Amino acid sequence: QVQLVESGGGLVQAGGSLRLSCAASGSIVSIAEMGWYRQAPGKQRELVAVITSGGTSDYTDSVKGRFTISRDYANYTVYLQMNSLKPEDTAVYYCQARIRKRWQAFNDYWGQGTQVTVSS
């Protein structure tokens, strides 16, 4: 069993900051990329940021320069530091990880989602 547990969402004023955390646990052999997605009401889920096992990161254009993704490899944890938040960043944020369990190929796992609300 693999679980991804997110924390750190909440309500913040425009221009403020939040830090999301996501910890993976269970029968993990290795983790490839880890990422953050978000889904706003009435919109499709979109990739926000991703970080590979080698530490390479990428971001959707709308958050470049404001969000930073990082990773604690020893503790199977990924973070998303969100600065200069805007009302359009309001969404449910989901953690994703590509994980290999013993005797299995890599599969994608998802967290339960954490609400981020940015007020104007």
Side-chain angles (χ1 to χ4, degrees), residues 27-116:
S27 304
I28 297 170
V29 172
S30 64
I31 301 180
E33 69 268 18
M34 301 185 81
W36 289 95
Y37 289 71
R38 67 186 179 187
Q39 187 167 19
K43 295 189 177 182
Q44 289 188 333
R45 188 175 298 189
E46 64 168 347
L47 175 65
V48 176
V50 63
I51 184 166
T52 69
S53 58
T56 301
S57 59
D58 197 11
Y59 302 87
T60 191
D61 286 345
S62 62
V63 308
K64 286 180 180 177
R66 300 188 297 122
F67 291 10
T68 302
I69 190 170
S70 61
R71 193 166 159 175
D72 179 346
Y73 292 86
N75 293 301
Y76 298 141
T77 301
V78 64
Y79 304 96
L80 186 68
Q81 178 66 43
M82 304 185 294
N83 299 329
S84 301
L85 282 160
K86 304 175 181 180
E88 50 264 43
D89 294 318
T90 295
V92 178
Y93 283 70
Y94 297 91
C95 171
Q96 173 268 338
R98 183 155 293 174
I99 296 173
R100 186 167 72 88
K101 296 168 60 178
R102 188 178 296 275
W103 313 121
Q104 296 186 16
F106 281 98
N107 282 294
D108 287 335
Y109 293 85
W110 293 87
Q112 78 284 1
T114 185
Q115 178 70 45
V116 171

